[in-house]
Amino acid sequence: MRKETRWKAGFFALLTFMLVAVIIIAMMLFWPAKQEPLPKSKNKEKDYVGFTVHSNKHDLTQIINHYIEKEKLNGPINYEIILKDDVELYGEIEVFSKTIDLHMTFEPKALENGDLILYQKSASVGKMNLPVSYILKFIRNSYNLPSWVIIQPKDELIYVSLEKMELKGDMKVKADKFNLKEDDITLTFMVDVVK
């Protein structure tokens, strides 16, 4: 009789733990997302001397993934970015000791101030097509992202404030063209000449 009581107690403890875990995950997914305002441009172009660089999808893909690895931007999701006709993110999420594939696609747009907006096109976790806002919220809450990357789950976009990106040597970068379909990527690197 005593073994049966222990077994029941253990079963109910495990069941309670699993229910609490599911409730916590559901709360994280469905909790309203706090939106950050998009930054205003502060660069005074007259203080910078610029030079233009033309790149392609293949080379820029290698640079982006090198930066992700160097800055240790992988959190609970191990991922890589591949530039095709869209910006594609491939990754894996660890959930209850299982590895689940993550795939997201973004349509990039270069803004007049040189920053980029990545508009979410599709997202899937495993074989499920989850609402994009939930996946973006999970990523935003799970990573210590640089201050120049702003995820806005409600608007289903990622704002990349290139002017705030910290580069060595008082240098800034801005995107002039970011047309992946035509493999036409033009960036301007600007060096601060006012000390």
Side-chain angles (χ1 to χ4, degrees):
M1 189 73 168
R2 197 166 199 189
K3 287 182 183 178
E4 186 176 306
T5 305
R6 286 185 189 162
W7 179 85
K8 284 182 182 179
F11 172 76
F12 285 116
L14 180 61
L15 181 63
T16 302
F17 172 76
M18 290 176 64
L19 286 173
V20 168
V22 168
I23 290 170
I24 289 172
I25 290 172
M27 285 175 60
M28 286 176 61
L29 287 174
F30 295 105
W31 199 266
K34 183 178 121 184
Q35 295 284 66
E36 293 181 38
L38 295 179
K40 302 280 189 239
S41 179
K42 291 185 267 182
N43 275 350
K44 297 176 186 168
E45 299 219 10
K46 64 182 180 179
D47 296 343
Y48 289 88
V49 173
F51 57 96
T52 302
V53 174
H54 298 277
S55 188
N56 59 54
K57 294 184 276 194
H58 178 265
D59 292 345
L60 196 53
T61 295
Q62 290 182 329
I63 291 169
I64 291 169
N65 288 311
H66 172 75
Y67 182 81
I68 290 169
E69 184 64 33
K70 181 180 170 210
E71 297 298 319
K72 310 266 188 262
L73 295 180
N74 288 323
I77 302 172
N78 292 317
Y79 67 95
E80 69 174 334
I81 304 291
I82 298 176
L83 301 180
K84 295 181 180 176
D85 282 349
D86 294 308
V87 176
E88 298 194 16
L89 181 145
Y90 293 91
E92 296 177 335
I93 303 173
E94 192 85 21
V95 178
F96 297 120
S97 301
K98 294 253 184 203
T99 301
I100 300 174
D101 291 330
L102 170 69
H103 179 232
M104 302 175 80
T105 58
F106 300 89
E107 181 179 339
K109 180 181 179 189
L111 301 176
E112 284 185 29
N113 69 354
D115 291 344
L116 283 175
I117 290 186
L118 304 176
Y119 294 101
Q120 180 67 52
K121 287 181 72 175
S122 67
S124 63
V125 177
K127 297 193 186 277
M128 299 182 300
N129 287 323
L130 295 175
V132 171
S133 59
Y134 298 139
I135 297 173
L136 289 176
K137 184 178 173 208
F138 173 78
I139 292 172
R140 185 189 66 191
N141 294 341
S142 300
Y143 284 91
N144 185 16
L145 293 169
S147 61
W148 47 273
V149 176
I150 301 167
I151 296 179
Q152 294 194 325
K154 284 184 185 174
D155 297 327
E156 298 182 357
L157 63 83
I158 298 175
Y159 188 92
V160 182
S161 181
L162 293 176
E163 75 172 311
K164 291 186 176 180
M165 185 176 171
E166 294 178 15
L167 298 174
K168 292 181 181 177
D170 295 326
M171 196 179 310
K172 300 283 184 190
V173 65
K174 67 179 201 171
D176 299 315
K177 290 183 186 175
F178 211 85
N179 186 337
L180 295 180
K181 288 184 172 80
E182 294 181 18
D183 204 9
D184 183 12
I185 300 166
T186 305
L187 305 170
T188 298
F189 288 86
M190 300 172 297
V191 179
D192 188 357
V193 293
V194 176
K195 300 288 178 186

